[in-house]
Amino acid sequence: MATLVIVGSQWGDEAKGKIVDVLGSEAEVVVRYSGGNNAGHTVITGGKTFKFQLLPAGILHEGTISILGGGMAVCPKGLLEELERTRALQPELGDLRISPAAHVVFPYHRALDALEEKARGDDKIGTTSRGIGPCYTDKVQRTGIRMGDFVNPDKFRDKLATVVAFKNKLMTLLGGEPMDFESLHAEYSAYADQIRPMVQETDHVVQEAVANGARVLFEGAQGTFLDLDHGTYPYVTSSHPTAGGACLGTGVGPRSIDNVLGVCKAYSTRVGSGPFPTELHDETGEQIRQQGNEFGTVTGRPRRCGWLDLVALKHSSRINSMSGLVLTRLDVMANVGPIQVATGYEVDGQVIGHVPSTPEEWESAKPVFETLAGWDEDITGAQSWDDLPKNVQDYVRFVEHATSTPAAILSIGPDRKQTIVLRPDLIWG
Ligand code: GDP
Ligand code: IMO
Ligand code: MG
């Protein structure tokens, strides 16, 4: 077994970046398969903090091939700035390749993201305002500009001229300002010149690596309940963060995926609007936000915090065919008192044990909680399962049982070293 998907099992920010970094050193290819710079993946190592938005967190490992897959929406300006920022911290990086099928995010996408959010008023999604939704809208509408077009000067000029004329009408209609085609073209042609050498065939690279038995790690962004199809629609992102997206976004089929690890916080958070049954609006929620420093990596917004939702997590395990769980941020739950976990929902006076099929029901669902003993110990220095207090062990066992998914890895702090591997067999086999 040699292929592994790392997927966010909640609403994003589960610490996927840290886990991809830890396991990326063992992979030959690390490939991002969805989303764009709406993601913010933090890696803390050797006293340095990296905040990746587009680059696969595996890029820190020299000798690794890092790929931005065809399922992504890539902002060229953001990518070049991120490369510069990252090289300032670590000059030697892995080899980066970009799929010609990845869609390009332009300034009009960002402008439209803001204008559309404004038009939604109280129903706003709370997007990261990175233009991701409007870029994927163009993809679905079949008018998007892909990386392959972008780095072909003639094609790029023709396509951009058509699209800008259309977007200017749209932006004016929504109360925005039109954009000047020539200056936009000049600025983005300069980015295309820098990016051109990186745009190469990538599906074949991933397929060959899989065929040769090399270790390939598929890095998820966002989280399962932000998935366009499986999330709390319409409060979702516009791509497929779920494990299935790894196939769509990189050019391999389902039988090429060996293992799937679902990264999950010991509690829940969400940024932006939408259903969140176990959300806490009290002092405990505030305590978790402060102890966990739960403020967005990309936008700095305070994250909404709540108890772990095992109804949602079980659903997530099934959607993603999880082999195992990676339970992160267990250290943050110290000193919060008894811990609650949702094991059912009350919907229309009936208790159910699964996620409701409509967003309205999910919005109105009242969680049914079970209370578990908490812990006051600082666990950030634990080296093994045996070092963990019994209440932490019981918490982990409860989650495994309720979701029928074994815990493969525990994370007890942001550093690479603060990681306890329980089931190596569930990682690379
Ligand atoms: P991602 O989007 O899933 O990669 O997650 P983010 O990077 O947005 O947010 C996770 C945050 O948790 C980052 O600031 C990490 O440095 C931090 N982190 C990762 N694992 C742990 C952990 O086990 N404990 C604590 N306290 N922080 C962690
Ligand atoms: P990582 O990879 C948390 C959320 C936004 C908003 C919704 C739609 O760091 O886990 P978008 O800009 O994608 O159109 O916004 O999705 N969102 C995230 N929340 N972590 C992320 O990424 C997110 N990416 C998007 O807050 O609610
Ligand atoms: Mg994040």
Side-chain angles (χ1 to χ4, degrees):
M1 291 206 189
T3 55
L4 172 67
V5 179
I6 301 292
V7 68
S9 56
Q10 298 163 304
W11 283 278
D13 302 325
E14 300 92 346
K16 299 174 293 291
K18 172 190 160 162
I19 301 306
V20 172
D21 173 60
V22 169
L23 301 176
S25 62
E26 299 161 8
E28 284 180 41
V29 180
V30 179
V31 48
R32 268 270 312 258
Y33 59 82
S34 69
N37 59 359
N38 47 350
H41 297 177
T42 315
V43 173
I44 301 178
T45 177
K48 293 177 190 167
T49 300
F50 298 84
K51 289 184 185 294
F52 295 117
Q53 295 199 251
L54 286 161
L55 296 178
I59 194 123
L60 295 179
H61 305 290
E62 242 189 295
T64 304
I65 298 175
S66 288
I67 291 177
L68 307 188
M72 289 188 70
V74 179
C75 167
K77 188 170 184 236
L79 176 65
L80 292 168
E81 285 170 0
E82 193 177 329
L83 273 168
E84 199 178 312
R85 250 191 348 256
T86 309
R87 284 205 184 102
L89 284 172
Q90 180 178 309
E92 297 304 324
L93 301 176
D95 179 10
L96 179 67
R97 302 183 193 178
I98 306 169
S99 165
H103 278 250
V104 183
V105 181
F106 289 98
Y108 49 79
H109 290 130
R110 288 176 81 117
L112 282 166
D113 201 346
L115 290 167
E116 286 167 12
E117 278 286 83
K118 197 164 163 221
R120 286 183 193 115
D122 289 345
D123 294 330
K124 73 174 195 289
I125 293 168
T127 71
T128 59
S129 63
R130 292 296 184 276
I132 303 300
C135 178
Y136 280 118
T137 302
D138 284 1
K139 173 177 176 171
V140 175
Q141 209 174 22
R142 295 157 294 179
T143 54
I145 297 177
R146 310 206 297 178
M147 275 292 168
D149 310 322
F150 180 54
V151 298
N152 176 325
D154 293 340
K155 235 178 168 185
F156 176 45
R157 192 175 168 90
D158 279 359
K159 285 208 165 209
L160 190 71
T162 311
V163 176
V164 168
F166 181 79
K167 297 294 176 191
N168 278 345
K169 284 186 195 151
L170 193 58
M171 286 189 290
T172 311
L173 203 66
L174 289 168
E177 294 293 321
M179 290 182 181
D180 178 60
F181 165 71
E182 289 299 344
S183 58
L184 186 67
H185 178 256
E187 182 186 350
Y188 276 70
S189 293
Y191 300 147
D193 289 342
Q194 292 179 69
I195 284 176
R196 190 169 295 111
M198 296 179 247
V199 179
Q200 297 171 21
E201 176 51 57
T202 58
D203 287 7
H204 182 66
V205 174
V206 178
Q207 288 166 3
E208 282 296 297
V210 171
N212 294 332
R215 285 179 174 176
V216 180
L217 195 156
F218 299 87
E219 174 177 350
Q222 287 82 51
T224 297
F225 298 114
L226 290 173
D227 185 283
L228 187 55
D229 287 322
H230 297 293
T232 50
Y233 190 88
Y235 301 102
V236 292
T237 192
S238 302
S239 67
H240 297 289
T242 40
C247 294
L248 298 174
T250 68
V252 298
R255 290 202 304 126
S256 295
I257 307 291
D258 295 319
N259 278 336
V260 178
L261 291 181
V263 188
C264 177
K265 289 186 195 194
Y267 49 96
S268 305
T269 62
R270 171 161 209 175
V271 204
S273 321
F276 182 1
T278 60
E279 183 170 9
L280 286 162
H281 298 281
D282 60 7
E283 283 165 16
T284 309
E286 189 52 37
Q287 188 185 349
I288 293 174
R289 183 174 303 113
Q290 294 305 328
Q291 288 185 186
N293 191 24
E294 289 293 0
F295 297 88
T297 311
V298 178
T299 57
R301 289 178 291 179
R303 294 177 182 146
R304 299 158 64 192
C305 297
W307 298 117
L308 184 58
D309 184 340
L310 294 174
V311 182
L313 187 59
K314 185 174 179 183
H315 190 57
S316 181
S317 176
R318 290 176 172 180
I319 286 172
N320 293 301
S321 290
M322 280 184 206
S323 329
L325 283 167
V326 180
L327 269 177
T328 65
R329 299 187 138 249
L330 279 157
D331 53 300
V332 173
M333 294 304 267
N335 296 307
V336 298
I339 298 176
Q340 293 194 291
V341 287
T343 52
Y345 290 155
E346 193 187 313
V347 180
D348 294 332
Q350 283 207 319
V351 174
I352 56 171
H354 60 271
V355 165
S357 52
T358 68
E360 291 76 21
E361 284 173 316
W362 206 351
E363 182 79 69
S364 69
K366 280 202 212 113
V368 178
F369 286 116
E370 280 202 39
T371 304
L372 308 178
W375 56 89
D376 297 334
E377 295 92 335
D378 175 359
I379 59 169
T380 55
Q383 305 277 322
S384 68
W385 174 257
D386 293 337
D387 287 346
L388 294 170
K390 180 171 180 303
N391 288 355
V392 178
Q393 295 180 347
D394 288 348
Y395 190 65
V396 174
R397 292 296 178 226
F398 193 94
V399 173
E400 289 181 307
H401 182 72
T403 58
S404 304
T405 315
I409 299 176
L410 306 180
S411 174
I412 47 159
D415 199 87
R416 261 184 206 173
K417 294 190 204 105
Q418 292 171 302
T419 310
I420 300 174
V421 176
L422 301 177
R423 292 282 306 269
D425 57 308
L426 298 179
I427 302 173
W428 298 113

